[in-house]
Amino acid sequence: MTDNLPNKRNRLLIVTGLGIALIIAIFVSPFASQNPDGLDRVSQDLEFDHKAVEDAPAQKLPFYHVFESYDLRGVPEGLARPLAGLVGTLVTFGIAWGAGKLLSRPTTNHPPSNQEGTDNE
């Protein structure tokens, strides 16, 4: 019965972590800064933002039509960002979970066996 304890702890850790990530994604994302981030900011600072490709490769991705910047398209404005955070967090978790399942070796729980020659009969 104690063999199952690590599995319960792992499950609790995963559920707790996912829950915290979802709370942050849903309730904190509406307060995200409206200022440009990353490459957008650098391109503006160094004044090469006008050289952006109009037909960017990202616009050809299948999920481009679902998300716009950090918002979910086709959803009321107040819900667009929290729902995008929710979906993005769940998709990221699903990809990480799936990769972990595919890339990890299966564990076998064999009971410890007696070594030969150690019987005290």
Side-chain angles (χ1 to χ4, degrees), residues 8-73:
K8 286 183 181 180
R9 285 185 182 168
N10 286 344
R11 244 183 250 128
L12 179 63
L13 179 67
I14 290 168
V15 169
T16 302
L18 180 60
I20 291 169
L22 289 172
I23 288 169
I24 291 170
I26 294 169
F27 295 108
V28 177
S29 63
F31 302 105
S33 173
Q34 298 299 318
N35 296 328
D37 62 338
L39 188 57
D40 288 333
R41 174 62 189 260
V42 172
S43 68
Q44 289 174 4
D45 289 350
L46 298 177
E47 298 177 358
F48 65 85
D49 56 330
H50 63 280
K51 294 183 180 182
V53 177
E54 291 300 320
D55 189 25
Q59 294 175 352
K60 296 175 183 160
L61 294 173
F63 54 82
Y64 175 77
H65 299 289
V66 177
F67 295 100
E68 179 178 359
S69 295
Y70 294 107
D71 296 337
L72 196 61
R73 292 180 188 211

